Amino acid sequence: MGAGFHGGFGNTYGAQAVSVSPVYVGKGEGEELARAAKSIKADPEYTDVVIHGTSNSVAIMHNGKWVHLDQRRLSTLLKHDKEFRKNKAIRLISCSTGSDTAGFAQNLANKLGVKVKAPSDTLWVFPDGKMRIGPSQFKNIGHWVTYTPYKKGDRKK
């Protein structure tokens, strides 16, 4: 998670932005992401999953070490989580998980059988809950990508 100071977002001028990418993760920065995540405005159509990510995996801290998960392992964790509502769409608050059309978000959608919305680039979360998608906290040039699960026989060969 890259934490950096920046201006340009109205009341976030000088505020610390938190990246959700494991590339930027440093000691103790998981707490910063957790704090920032609490201020993200919920979308009633989606269950938010706040986790560090890349185009092909996500990462969680377990016993003091970062553990990378593929879509199968994350879907298993979600299915066993009391907060996860089966058959409800997912919004991945997770860097670059939507950047590859055959990557993590599409595979998670297929595995869970629900729509998955994910960012196309690094996701930056500000203390007031606003988010930017782009290569830096200064450039909001990315976008949200929604993946629909493939139906049987729809997969590209």
Side-chain angles (χ1 to χ4, degrees), residues 77-85:
L77 287 175
L78 289 173
K79 288 174 183 176
H80 289 89
D81 188 323
K82 295 175 193 170
E83 299 295 317
F84 176 68
R85 288 191 244 157

Side-chain angles (χ1 to χ4, degrees), residues 51-72:
I51 192 165
H52 293 289
T54 68
S55 62
N56 58 16
S57 71
V58 293
I60 59 172
M61 179 67 74
H62 181 69
N63 292 330
K65 294 182 181 179
W66 287 102
V67 177
H68 292 269
L69 309 174
D70 64 12
Q71 77 281 354
R72 290 174 191 88

Side-chain angles (χ1 to χ4, degrees), residues 18-147:
V18 179
S19 163
V20 193
S21 172
V23 173
Y24 301 102
V25 173
K27 185 176 179 182
E29 290 179 350
E31 294 82 20
E32 289 177 25
L33 177 58
R35 281 193 299 275
K38 289 178 185 176
S39 62
I40 295 171
K41 183 179 178 186
D43 182 330
E45 294 183 35
Y46 291 89
T47 297
D48 283 340
V49 176
V50 181
I51 192 165
H52 293 289
T54 68
S55 62
N56 58 16
S57 71
V58 293
I60 59 172
M61 179 67 74
H62 181 69
N63 292 330
K65 294 182 181 179
W66 287 102
V67 177
H68 292 269
L69 309 174
D70 64 12
Q71 77 281 354
R72 290 174 191 88
R73 290 180 69 193
L74 180 61
S75 67
T76 299
L77 287 175
L78 289 173
K79 288 174 183 176
H80 289 89
D81 188 323
K82 295 175 193 170
E83 299 295 317
F84 176 68
R85 288 191 244 157
K86 192 173 182 179
N87 299 323
K88 188 171 182 187
I90 299 287
R91 179 171 67 165
L92 284 172
I93 309 295
S94 182
C95 286
S96 302
T97 47
S99 65
D100 181 354
T101 58
F104 190 83
Q106 180 64 67
N107 290 325
L108 185 64
N110 296 344
K111 189 70 178 162
L112 291 174
V114 300
K115 285 192 308 185
V116 174
K117 183 161 78 169
S120 64
D121 202 336
T122 302
L123 180 65
W124 300 89
V125 179
F126 295 88
D128 65 358
K130 290 185 181 177
M131 295 182 275
R132 280 193 170 186
I133 301 170
S136 79
Q137 58 200 348
F138 305 106
K139 291 186 178 185
N140 191 28
I141 59 173
H143 57 280
W144 290 96
V145 183
T146 302
Y147 291 93

